[in-house]
PDB file of all heavy atoms in Angstrom:
ATOM      1  N   PRO A 190     -11.455   5.504   7.393  1.00 93.00           N
ATOM      2  CA  PRO A 190     -10.440   5.695   6.346  1.00 93.00           C
ATOM      3  C   PRO A 190      -9.745   4.377   5.988  1.00 93.00           C
ATOM      4  O   PRO A 190      -9.758   3.428   6.771  1.00 93.00           O
ATOM      5  CB  PRO A 190      -9.460   6.673   7.002  1.00 93.00           C
ATOM      6  CG  PRO A 190      -9.590   6.413   8.463  1.00 93.00           C
ATOM      7  CD  PRO A 190     -11.029   6.042   8.685  1.00 93.00           C
ATOM      8  N   GLU A 191      -9.151   4.350   4.812  1.00 93.00           N
ATOM      9  CA  GLU A 191      -8.378   3.167   4.398  1.00 93.00           C
ATOM     10  C   GLU A 191      -7.007   3.165   5.070  1.00 93.00           C
ATOM     11  O   GLU A 191      -6.432   2.101   5.300  1.00 93.00           O
ATOM     12  CB  GLU A 191      -8.236   3.160   2.879  1.00 93.00           C
ATOM     13  CG  GLU A 191      -9.550   2.983   2.151  1.00 93.00           C
ATOM     14  CD  GLU A 191      -9.429   3.279   0.682  1.00 93.00           C
ATOM     15  OE1 GLU A 191      -9.317   4.471   0.318  1.00 93.00           O
ATOM     16  OE2 GLU A 191      -9.444   2.310  -0.110  1.00 93.00           O
ATOM     17  N   LEU A 192      -6.477   4.352   5.347  1.00 95.00           N
ATOM     18  CA  LEU A 192      -5.221   4.495   6.087  1.00 95.00           C
ATOM     19  C   LEU A 192      -5.473   5.451   7.248  1.00 95.00           C
ATOM     20  O   LEU A 192      -5.852   6.609   7.039  1.00 95.00           O
ATOM     21  CB  LEU A 192      -4.099   5.036   5.199  1.00 95.00           C
ATOM     22  CG  LEU A 192      -2.791   5.407   5.915  1.00 95.00           C
ATOM     23  CD1 LEU A 192      -2.166   4.181   6.575  1.00 95.00           C
ATOM     24  CD2 LEU A 192      -1.795   6.045   4.955  1.00 95.00           C
ATOM     25  N   LEU A 193      -5.280   4.967   8.452  1.00 95.00           N
ATOM     26  CA  LEU A 193      -5.543   5.756   9.661  1.00 95.00           C
ATOM     27  C   LEU A 193      -4.227   6.046  10.378  1.00 95.00           C
ATOM     28  O   LEU A 193      -3.470   5.125  10.699  1.00 95.00           O
ATOM     29  CB  LEU A 193      -6.483   4.978  10.575  1.00 95.00           C
ATOM     30  CG  LEU A 193      -6.822   5.583  11.943  1.00 95.00           C
ATOM     31  CD1 LEU A 193      -7.487   6.946  11.779  1.00 95.00           C
ATOM     32  CD2 LEU A 193      -7.726   4.640  12.725  1.00 95.00           C
ATOM     33  N   LEU A 194      -3.950   7.340  10.596  1.00 95.00           N
ATOM     34  CA  LEU A 194      -2.752   7.767  11.318  1.00 95.00           C
ATOM     35  C   LEU A 194      -3.182   8.342  12.669  1.00 95.00           C
ATOM     36  O   LEU A 194      -3.955   9.302  12.717  1.00 95.00           O
ATOM     37  CB  LEU A 194      -1.983   8.833  10.528  1.00 95.00           C
ATOM     38  CG  LEU A 194      -1.500   8.460   9.130  1.00 95.00           C
ATOM     39  CD1 LEU A 194      -0.765   9.629   8.495  1.00 95.00           C
ATOM     40  CD2 LEU A 194      -0.594   7.243   9.157  1.00 95.00           C
ATOM     41  N   LEU A 195      -2.687   7.760  13.751  1.00 94.00           N
ATOM     42  CA  LEU A 195      -3.029   8.219  15.098  1.00 94.00           C
ATOM     43  C   LEU A 195      -1.748   8.546  15.869  1.00 94.00           C
ATOM     44  O   LEU A 195      -0.887   7.689  16.023  1.00 94.00           O
ATOM     45  CB  LEU A 195      -3.813   7.142  15.850  1.00 94.00           C
ATOM     46  CG  LEU A 195      -5.211   6.791  15.324  1.00 94.00           C
ATOM     47  CD1 LEU A 195      -5.805   5.647  16.126  1.00 94.00           C
ATOM     48  CD2 LEU A 195      -6.126   8.010  15.359  1.00 94.00           C
ATOM     49  N   ASP A 196      -1.655   9.785  16.352  1.00 90.00           N
ATOM     50  CA  ASP A 196      -0.489  10.226  17.124  1.00 90.00           C
ATOM     51  C   ASP A 196      -0.894  10.320  18.594  1.00 90.00           C
ATOM     52  O   ASP A 196      -1.674  11.192  18.980  1.00 90.00           O
ATOM     53  CB  ASP A 196      -0.021  11.595  16.611  1.00 90.00           C
ATOM     54  CG  ASP A 196       1.334  11.997  17.193  1.00 90.00           C
ATOM     55  OD1 ASP A 196       1.789  11.344  18.159  1.00 90.00           O
ATOM     56  OD2 ASP A 196       1.937  12.955  16.691  1.00 90.00           O
ATOM     57  N   GLU A 197      -0.401   9.394  19.409  1.00 88.00           N
ATOM     58  CA  GLU A 197      -0.711   9.320  20.838  1.00 88.00           C
ATOM     59  C   GLU A 197      -2.221   9.363  21.088  1.00 88.00           C
ATOM     60  O   GLU A 197      -2.729  10.258  21.783  1.00 88.00           O
ATOM     61  CB  GLU A 197      -0.014  10.456  21.604  1.00 88.00           C
ATOM     62  CG  GLU A 197       1.496  10.400  21.585  1.00 88.00           C
ATOM     63  CD  GLU A 197       2.060   9.227  22.383  1.00 88.00           C
ATOM     64  OE1 GLU A 197       1.284   8.495  23.010  1.00 88.00           O
ATOM     65  OE2 GLU A 197       3.283   9.043  22.368  1.00 88.00           O
ATOM     66  N   PRO A 198      -2.983   8.402  20.547  1.00 90.00           N
ATOM     67  CA  PRO A 198      -4.444   8.447  20.686  1.00 90.00           C
ATOM     68  C   PRO A 198      -4.937   8.251  22.107  1.00 90.00           C
ATOM     69  O   PRO A 198      -6.076   8.599  22.422  1.00 90.00           O
ATOM     70  CB  PRO A 198      -4.915   7.287  19.795  1.00 90.00           C
ATOM     71  CG  PRO A 198      -3.763   6.337  19.767  1.00 90.00           C
ATOM     72  CD  PRO A 198      -2.545   7.206  19.808  1.00 90.00           C
ATOM     73  N   THR A 199      -4.110   7.706  22.997  1.00 88.00           N
ATOM     74  CA  THR A 199      -4.564   7.425  24.368  1.00 88.00           C
ATOM     75  C   THR A 199      -4.317   8.578  25.335  1.00 88.00           C
ATOM     76  O   THR A 199      -4.713   8.495  26.501  1.00 88.00           O
ATOM     77  CB  THR A 199      -3.869   6.162  24.919  1.00 88.00           C
ATOM     78  OG1 THR A 199      -2.454   6.390  25.010  1.00 88.00           O
ATOM     79  CG2 THR A 199      -4.107   4.972  24.008  1.00 88.00           C
ATOM     80  N   ASN A 200      -3.699   9.667  24.862  1.00 81.00           N
ATOM     81  CA  ASN A 200      -3.297  10.741  25.778  1.00 81.00           C
ATOM     82  C   ASN A 200      -4.461  11.355  26.551  1.00 81.00           C
ATOM     83  O   ASN A 200      -4.298  11.748  27.695  1.00 81.00           O
ATOM     84  CB  ASN A 200      -2.559  11.844  25.014  1.00 81.00           C
ATOM     85  CG  ASN A 200      -1.049  11.679  25.111  1.00 81.00           C
ATOM     86  OD1 ASN A 200      -0.556  10.683  25.638  1.00 81.00           O
ATOM     87  ND2 ASN A 200      -0.308  12.641  24.585  1.00 81.00           N
ATOM     88  N   HIS A 201      -5.621  11.484  25.926  1.00 79.00           N
ATOM     89  CA  HIS A 201      -6.752  12.152  26.588  1.00 79.00           C
ATOM     90  C   HIS A 201      -7.840  11.158  26.984  1.00 79.00           C
ATOM     91  O   HIS A 201      -8.982  11.551  27.234  1.00 79.00           O
ATOM     92  CB  HIS A 201      -7.331  13.230  25.665  1.00 79.00           C
ATOM     93  CG  HIS A 201      -6.358  14.315  25.329  1.00 79.00           C
ATOM     94  ND1 HIS A 201      -6.049  15.337  26.203  1.00 79.00           N
ATOM     95  CD2 HIS A 201      -5.583  14.515  24.241  1.00 79.00           C
ATOM     96  CE1 HIS A 201      -5.151  16.136  25.650  1.00 79.00           C
ATOM     97  NE2 HIS A 201      -4.853  15.655  24.458  1.00 79.00           N
ATOM     98  N   LEU A 202      -7.477   9.881  27.050  1.00 85.00           N
ATOM     99  CA  LEU A 202      -8.451   8.848  27.388  1.00 85.00           C
ATOM    100  C   LEU A 202      -8.155   8.268  28.760  1.00 85.00           C
ATOM    101  O   LEU A 202      -7.005   8.195  29.180  1.00 85.00           O
ATOM    102  CB  LEU A 202      -8.416   7.720  26.347  1.00 85.00           C
ATOM    103  CG  LEU A 202      -8.659   8.110  24.888  1.00 85.00           C
ATOM    104  CD1 LEU A 202      -8.612   6.862  24.006  1.00 85.00           C
ATOM    105  CD2 LEU A 202      -9.981   8.831  24.727  1.00 85.00           C
ATOM    106  N   ASP A 203      -9.208   7.833  29.447  1.00 83.00           N
ATOM    107  CA  ASP A 203      -9.009   7.107  30.692  1.00 83.00           C
ATOM    108  C   ASP A 203      -8.828   5.620  30.385  1.00 83.00           C
ATOM    109  O   ASP A 203      -8.921   5.192  29.231  1.00 83.00           O
ATOM    110  CB  ASP A 203     -10.185   7.333  31.650  1.00 83.00           C
ATOM    111  CG  ASP A 203     -11.521   7.043  31.012  1.00 83.00           C
ATOM    112  OD1 ASP A 203     -11.640   6.010  30.325  1.00 83.00           O
ATOM    113  OD2 ASP A 203     -12.461   7.839  31.170  1.00 83.00           O
ATOM    114  N   ILE A 204      -8.538   4.837  31.421  1.00 83.00           N
ATOM    115  CA  ILE A 204      -8.237   3.424  31.234  1.00 83.00           C
ATOM    116  C   ILE A 204      -9.360   2.697  30.493  1.00 83.00           C
ATOM    117  O   ILE A 204      -9.114   1.866  29.621  1.00 83.00           O
ATOM    118  CB  ILE A 204      -7.960   2.748  32.596  1.00 83.00           C
ATOM    119  CG1 ILE A 204      -6.571   3.164  33.101  1.00 83.00           C
ATOM    120  CG2 ILE A 204      -8.048   1.232  32.509  1.00 83.00           C
ATOM    121  CD1 ILE A 204      -6.210   2.601  34.459  1.00 83.00           C
ATOM    122  N   PHE A 205     -10.609   3.042  30.804  1.00 83.00           N
ATOM    123  CA  PHE A 205     -11.735   2.305  30.256  1.00 83.00           C
ATOM    124  C   PHE A 205     -11.948   2.639  28.785  1.00 83.00           C
ATOM    125  O   PHE A 205     -12.249   1.760  27.972  1.00 83.00           O
ATOM    126  CB  PHE A 205     -12.992   2.603  31.085  1.00 83.00           C
ATOM    127  CG  PHE A 205     -12.682   2.685  32.551  1.00 83.00           C
ATOM    128  CD1 PHE A 205     -12.866   3.850  33.256  1.00 83.00           C
ATOM    129  CD2 PHE A 205     -12.133   1.593  33.208  1.00 83.00           C
ATOM    130  CE1 PHE A 205     -12.538   3.932  34.592  1.00 83.00           C
ATOM    131  CE2 PHE A 205     -11.800   1.671  34.542  1.00 83.00           C
ATOM    132  CZ  PHE A 205     -11.996   2.842  35.243  1.00 83.00           C
ATOM    133  N   SER A 206     -11.769   3.904  28.408  1.00 89.00           N
ATOM    134  CA  SER A 206     -11.891   4.296  27.005  1.00 89.00           C
ATOM    135  C   SER A 206     -10.748   3.720  26.179  1.00 89.00           C
ATOM    136  O   SER A 206     -10.931   3.388  25.005  1.00 89.00           O
ATOM    137  CB  SER A 206     -11.910   5.828  26.879  1.00 89.00           C
ATOM    138  OG  SER A 206     -13.014   6.373  27.562  1.00 89.00           O
ATOM    139  N   ILE A 207      -9.577   3.604  26.773  1.00 90.00           N
ATOM    140  CA  ILE A 207      -8.439   3.000  26.074  1.00 90.00           C
ATOM    141  C   ILE A 207      -8.744   1.544  25.732  1.00 90.00           C
ATOM    142  O   ILE A 207      -8.487   1.073  24.614  1.00 90.00           O
ATOM    143  CB  ILE A 207      -7.158   3.097  26.922  1.00 90.00           C
ATOM    144  CG1 ILE A 207      -6.688   4.556  27.019  1.00 90.00           C
ATOM    145  CG2 ILE A 207      -6.030   2.251  26.307  1.00 90.00           C
ATOM    146  CD1 ILE A 207      -5.559   4.775  28.005  1.00 90.00           C
ATOM    147  N   ARG A 208      -9.335   0.831  26.689  1.00 89.00           N
ATOM    148  CA  ARG A 208      -9.665  -0.580  26.447  1.00 89.00           C
ATOM    149  C   ARG A 208     -10.716  -0.698  25.341  1.00 89.00           C
ATOM    150  O   ARG A 208     -10.670  -1.605  24.516  1.00 89.00           O
ATOM    151  CB  ARG A 208     -10.156  -1.248  27.735  1.00 89.00           C
ATOM    152  CG  ARG A 208      -9.098  -1.275  28.836  1.00 89.00           C
ATOM    153  CD  ARG A 208      -9.558  -2.090  30.021  1.00 89.00           C
ATOM    154  NE  ARG A 208      -9.388  -3.509  29.784  1.00 89.00           N
ATOM    155  CZ  ARG A 208      -8.260  -4.180  30.003  1.00 89.00           C
ATOM    156  NH1 ARG A 208      -7.194  -3.556  30.449  1.00 89.00           N
ATOM    157  NH2 ARG A 208      -8.194  -5.469  29.770  1.00 89.00           N
TER     158      ARG A 208
END
Side-chain angles (χ1 to χ4, degrees):
E191 295 167 286
L192 172 62
L193 176 60
L194 301 180
L195 294 176
D196 190 347
E197 296 291 356
T199 64
N200 263 7
H201 298 282
L202 303 181
D203 52 45
I204 285 178
F205 321 117
S206 299
I207 291 171
R208 297 187 80 85

